[in-house]
Amino acid sequence: MSEQTIDFRRAHFVTSAPDIHHLPDDQGMEIAFAGRSNAGKSSALNTLTDHRGLAHTSKRPGRTQLINVFRLDDDKRLIDLPGYGFAKVPLEMKLQWQEKLAQYLEERRCLKGLVVLMDIRHPLKDLDFNMIRWGVAAQMPVLVLLTKADKLKQAEKQKTLRTVKATLAELEGEVTVQLFSSLKGTGREPALAVLNGWFQRHDDETQPF
């Protein structure tokens, strides 16, 4: 087994796709980022890649309506999925977003890991739990980032972390839960270690004997 640390700062934008048919070839490995529209998904991607302008952020939740692709190298990509659960958009648009999400999750074979972002002040909403449960059912590793951790005091953060860990442990899957703050940089290195491990595992599995 060869150890190789991926430089996430090399991430660069490739394309915004309206559906999976406009994505790069279904080869290599992708890690997808999913979360409610106000969970701070774009900010987290920028923090993880140390690239302030990689993923566009907005004060208006629901801005990410396409599948955004960021390439790390020839066969490794990060995917920013459309945000879900935002109330102030038309029902038709919600249904379109859900359809894109479902199609990507169910049909994209190179998807090998799922990052689910949840605002630590409002964790485990139904859509979040369903997303995590889907990852576990697909035997996919899941990293849960409790974002905006800087908004809570230390005792509250730890209490929420313990509660979420205990709840998700019942799913009996490969689920890692971490505190995260784009503002403070909290949790950046532990999260990168998890993602790097997933990519490394994929490389080991695809290397010829």
Side-chain angles (χ1 to χ4, degrees), residues 160-193:
T160 302
L161 179 64
R162 289 192 299 270
T163 300
V164 172
K165 281 185 173 181
T167 301
L168 297 180
E170 298 176 2
L171 297 178
E172 298 182 349
E174 185 181 345
V175 182
T176 305
V177 185
Q178 297 178 352
L179 299 174
F180 194 85
S181 169
S182 295
L183 182 64
K184 302 291 187 180
T186 304
R188 179 179 184 269
E189 294 305 320
L192 289 178

Side-chain angles (χ1 to χ4, degrees), residues 20-21 23-32 75 77 79 81 100-114 134 138-141 199 202 205-206:
I20 65 170
H21 305 296
L23 290 173
D25 291 343
D26 196 355
Q27 299 174 352
M29 177 178 177
E30 291 177 352
I31 293 176
D75 66 346
R77 295 174 295 275
I79 305 296
L81 293 174
K100 290 176 190 175
L101 280 170
Q103 187 179 40
Y104 175 84
L105 294 170
E106 293 171 5
E107 299 182 26
R108 192 70 171 168
R109 291 171 296 178
C110 64
L111 174 62
K112 302 297 182 182
L114 182 64
W134 176 89
Q139 297 184 322
M140 187 175 299
F199 280 124
H202 177 261
E205 290 174 348
T206 55

Side-chain angles (χ1 to χ4, degrees), residues 21-22 31 38 59 113 121 127 158 161:
H21 305 296
H22 293 82
I31 293 176
N38 56 355
K59 293 182 179 180
R121 299 166 297 179
L127 291 174
Q158 293 302 322
L161 179 64

Side-chain angles (χ1 to χ4, degrees), residues 18-159:
D19 53 52
I20 65 170
H21 305 296
H22 293 82
L23 290 173
D25 291 343
D26 196 355
Q27 299 174 352
M29 177 178 177
E30 291 177 352
I31 293 176
F33 287 68
R36 297 175 67 85
S37 297
N38 56 355
K41 186 158 49 68
S42 296
S43 295
L45 271 164
N46 291 342
T47 297
L48 290 170
T49 58
D50 196 21
H51 195 317
R52 183 178 298 178
L54 184 72
H56 293 296
T57 60
S58 174
K59 293 182 179 180
R60 294 174 53 203
R63 189 175 186 275
T64 304
Q65 302 176 22
L66 301 172
I67 301 172
N68 294 314
V69 181
F70 306 100
R71 178 173 285 127
L72 294 170
D73 62 28
D74 289 342
D75 66 346
K76 297 178 179 66
R77 295 174 295 275
L78 303 177
I79 305 296
D80 184 9
L81 293 174
Y84 54 79
F86 186 53
K88 297 180 181 179
V89 296
L91 177 60
E92 182 179 358
M93 185 176 292
K94 281 187 185 180
L95 295 176
Q96 289 175 352
W97 292 357
Q98 291 172 10
E99 184 177 353
K100 290 176 190 175
L101 280 170
Q103 187 179 40
Y104 175 84
L105 294 170
E106 293 171 5
E107 299 182 26
R108 192 70 171 168
R109 291 171 296 178
C110 64
L111 174 62
K112 302 297 182 182
L114 182 64
V115 181
V116 178
L117 300 98
M118 302 186 295
D119 187 326
I120 192 170
R121 299 166 297 179
H122 314 287
L124 292 178
K125 299 290 187 181
D126 288 345
L127 291 174
D128 299 321
F129 194 81
N130 288 341
M131 183 68 69
I132 297 166
R133 188 163 48 192
W134 176 89
V136 170
Q139 297 184 322
M140 187 175 299
V142 179
L143 172 61
V144 176
L145 296 182
L146 298 175
T147 63
K148 307 182 184 182
D150 54 281
K151 301 293 186 181
L152 296 182
K153 294 181 179 179
Q154 186 65 20
E156 294 176 293
K157 285 189 287 193
Q158 293 302 322
K159 180 180 179 181

